[in-house]
Amino acid sequence: MFEIEIQNMNLEQIADSGQCFRWKRIETEDENASKYAIVAFGRYLEIEQRGQLFSLSCDEKEWNEVWKSYFDLDTDYEDIKRRIVESDDEHLKHAYEKGNGIRILRQDLWEIIVSFIISQNNNIKRISKSVDELCIRSGYLCEGSDAGYRFPLPGEVDMALFDDRTMGFGYRNTYLKEIYEFASNNPAWLDELKKMNYNEAMESLLARKGIGKKVANCICLFGLHHVDAFPIDTHVKQFLAEYYPNGFDFDRYEGVAGIVQQYLFYYEIM
């Protein structure tokens, strides 16, 4: 057990922000607490929040080696707050007030690629179910735990699984087969993506079947931590048209535009 105080982090807001699909809420008797089970990087974690105090099922060593980075503790969210508060963007201020505990998690790149291919024309509940089924049916338990299944890597999935209609993949099964086959045959690709800048990564991702601009931007933002990536879906198009008809001020939020987008997106969907 390890405890730490963290500002600008709210588990419920992160869980509902549409960037992660394997967080599971755990009911608690304390109505002021929120608790989640998280599987990431082949590890299983239970984390509980009471205000700014977080209790984790790991020890301090694992926190420093795995979870500190996962929760993006090295990004200065207070500086982002200052930029927003000092702006004249009232809509963004309202959005920030509602979702100021959102952080861009530093998630596993491969899991993000596959999850956001599944996410196309889909809702969060169905995405989560499909991702969970993929992990369970592949059958790889988390390190040192029987509480959760890790995400299957390239070469670890029976390709016939993608044709199973109970998985909920639909037309995306073709894209999933292609990406698993490509990554299996090109084992250096993921490491190469991590070394690319935003434009290079977008070009490489868009070359893959089933990855369009929106999904590629999601992968860049949530899997590669290019926090200037600004995914645009139907919700984002709507709030840009309504509140920013003359264009969003990307210059003011250079280097953090993707984080700001998450505040605006969360405000729109909640």
Side-chain angles (χ1 to χ4, degrees):
M1 179 70 71
F2 176 66
E3 291 189 340
I4 186 172
E5 289 192 3
I6 305 172
Q7 295 182 335
N8 307 307
M9 187 162 100
N10 184 292
L11 296 179
E12 292 183 355
Q13 292 174 11
I14 295 171
D16 292 336
S17 66
Q19 61 175 300
C20 50
F21 303 110
R22 300 200 66 206
W23 284 32
K24 306 298 180 188
R25 188 178 182 108
I26 300 173
E27 294 301 323
T28 66
E29 295 181 359
D30 185 350
E31 63 180 16
N32 296 314
S34 58
K35 186 174 183 179
Y36 288 85
I38 300 171
V39 176
F41 300 108
R43 306 287 187 103
Y44 176 85
L45 177 76
E46 292 184 5
I47 179 171
E48 185 172 42
Q49 177 177 11
R50 290 183 178 85
Q52 293 184 356
L53 180 65
F54 295 81
S55 302
L56 303 97
S57 61
C58 66
D59 58 21
E60 186 173 4
K61 181 175 184 291
E62 184 176 326
W63 164 257
N64 287 321
E65 291 179 351
V66 179
W67 302 107
K68 181 179 179 181
S69 173
Y70 176 79
F71 288 110
D72 201 24
L73 266 290
D74 292 328
T75 295
D76 188 353
Y77 282 82
E78 277 294 308
D79 177 64
I80 301 170
K81 174 184 177 179
R82 178 189 58 76
R83 292 200 219 182
I84 294 171
V85 170
E86 292 178 358
S87 76
D88 57 2
D89 188 335
E90 295 303 318
H91 178 67
L92 178 53
K93 289 178 183 179
H94 290 312
Y96 178 77
E97 185 176 349
K98 186 169 185 176
N100 56 50
I102 295 173
R103 288 171 170 263
I104 303 297
L105 303 173
R106 292 180 179 265
Q107 301 181 75
D108 175 70
L109 173 58
W110 178 244
E111 181 172 345
I112 288 295
I113 290 172
V114 175
S115 297
F116 277 92
I117 289 176
I118 294 171
S119 78
Q120 297 175 80
N121 299 312
N122 217 342
N123 62 49
I124 292 176
K125 184 177 181 179
R126 288 201 300 263
I127 300 164
S128 296
K129 183 178 184 299
S130 292
V131 172
D132 280 343
E133 282 295 311
L134 177 60
C135 295
I136 293 168
R137 298 274 290 275
S138 297
Y140 295 94
L141 286 169
C142 289
E143 180 181 334
S145 171
D146 58 2
Y149 292 89
R150 67 168 174 81
F151 201 87
L153 301 172
E156 292 184 341
V157 177
D158 180 351
M159 301 303 281
L161 195 62
F162 296 121
D163 292 320
D164 186 336
R165 292 189 177 184
T166 66
M167 299 291 291
F169 295 138
Y171 70 89
R172 307 167 199 85
N173 67 338
T174 302
Y175 306 152
L176 294 167
K177 284 181 181 179
E178 195 277 343
I179 200 69
Y180 261 94
E181 289 174 351
F182 176 79
S184 297
N185 294 329
N186 297 272
W189 181 58
L190 294 175
D191 286 334
E192 291 169 355
L193 274 175
K194 294 174 184 178
K195 297 173 184 177
M196 294 177 185
N197 62 32
Y198 167 71
N199 290 326
E200 292 168 341
M202 284 291 290
E203 182 179 358
S204 182
L205 289 165
L206 289 170
R208 305 271 47 88
K209 186 177 181 180
I211 298 181
K213 192 171 182 180
K214 182 257 183 177
V215 169
N217 268 301
C218 286
I219 295 168
C220 283
L221 180 58
F222 303 127
L224 292 166
H225 213 71
H226 290 306
V227 289
D228 257 337
F230 201 91
I232 297 177
D233 67 357
T234 301
H235 297 292
V236 178
K237 284 180 181 178
Q238 289 174 346
F239 75 64
L240 288 176
E242 182 173 358
Y243 298 103
Y244 304 98
N246 297 319
F248 183 74
D249 190 356
F250 286 99
D251 290 338
R252 180 178 183 85
Y253 301 104
E254 183 179 1
V256 296
I259 300 174
V260 172
Q261 184 262 20
Q262 278 289 278
Y263 299 140
L264 292 164
F265 177 78
Y266 180 81
Y267 190 63
E268 190 73 14
I269 65 172
M270 297 302 290

